[in-house]
Amino acid sequence: MTSRPPASNAGYGAEAATLAVRYESIAFEDVHRDVLHLFPARAADVLDVGAGTGRDAAALARRGHRVVAIEPTAELRAEGLRLHGAWPIEWVDDALPSLARLRQADRRFALILVTAVWMHLDEPERRAGMAALSGLLADGGQLVMSLRHGPVPQGRRMFDVSAAETVGLAGQLGLQCNHRGERTDTQGRPDVRWSVVGFIRPPGAS
């Protein structure tokens, strides 16, 4: 009998309290400093996929956006509600690659953030996930993704996904790349680096 591969969010529930301290110690502006110019200047519908403890969701809500936070790990959602419950964030138990609940609701977003999430998906899941994200993006909407490169922590399920592959997948769905860069790790880990890619959905994209 073969064992199942670990889930994409494996290990996060048991470490939720510790991760909350780590995530919340890093400023939203530091994480997204290279792409803040791509974010909507006015109040808009925003989706944070894999929102964790809600650091980014809360920062976006403070800026006046209408925020939906997707987080499949119940313990992290609980931390998010504890830390940021005063903000009008809509928390949803959903997950890539399908984002089935949100897609069923037929919603569209001006900005979708996928921060430190994409590396948990294998190749078929990334194809399905990009299609799901594209279907949730409004015309003229912006998709911003960060891709982790470095050693895999014990007990986690991660893949080293290139920016080139991600740009290619998005392009197949008609999304246009309008940002591609790299940054060091905001937690100071010398063996971890990040690629950051942004895509815009032109009117009429598939």
Side-chain angles (χ1 to χ4, degrees):
M1 181 178 179
T2 58
S3 60
R4 287 185 177 183
S8 60
N9 61 337
Y12 285 91
E15 300 178 27
T18 301
L19 291 172
V21 174
R22 186 186 306 169
Y23 294 163
E24 299 292 328
S25 69
I26 304 169
F28 166 85
E29 290 78 10
D30 290 338
V31 174
H32 301 291
R33 59 181 179 269
D34 297 332
V35 289
L36 285 174
H37 64 286
L38 301 176
F39 292 11
R42 298 181 180 179
D45 292 317
V46 173
L47 176 63
D48 186 6
V49 178
T53 58
R55 175 200 63 211
D56 294 351
L60 291 162
R62 285 196 295 271
R63 292 173 175 227
H65 298 301
R66 299 173 294 274
V67 183
V68 176
I70 295 290
E71 177 50 57
T73 304
E75 294 87 348
L76 290 177
R77 290 199 309 275
E79 289 290 335
L81 288 166
R82 178 181 67 84
L83 293 166
H84 304 297
W87 293 101
I89 300 166
E90 180 184 348
W91 287 90
V92 179
D93 178 7
D94 207 348
L96 285 164
S98 67
L99 295 171
R101 291 186 177 182
L102 210 57
R103 291 173 65 200
Q104 188 174 23
D106 195 28
R107 301 175 71 168
R108 297 292 185 274
F109 297 90
L111 172 66
I112 300 178
L113 285 185
V114 186
T115 305
V117 172
W118 203 240
M119 72 277 191
H120 293 304
L121 305 180
D122 64 23
E123 194 273 339
E125 290 169 335
R126 293 194 296 272
R127 288 188 175 277
M130 187 64 77
L133 292 168
S134 177
L136 291 167
L137 198 59
D139 283 351
Q142 181 74 46
L143 170 63
V144 175
M145 310 173 72
S146 64
L147 316 172
R148 183 188 189 278
H149 311 289
V152 178
Q154 186 174 1
R156 299 284 171 80
R157 178 191 193 245
M158 292 185 185
F159 305 90
D160 194 358
V161 186
S162 71
E165 178 201 287
T166 310
V167 170
L169 282 179
Q172 291 172 18
L173 296 166
L175 304 182
Q176 297 178 356
C177 182
N178 61 353
H179 179 86
R180 183 170 174 176
E182 293 195 359
R183 64 169 173 81
T184 56
D185 184 55
T186 51
Q187 297 182 40
R189 295 168 293 190
D191 54 353
V192 175
R193 62 182 179 84
W194 298 84
S195 297
V196 183
V197 288
F199 307 98
I200 191 167
R201 180 185 179 88
S206 59

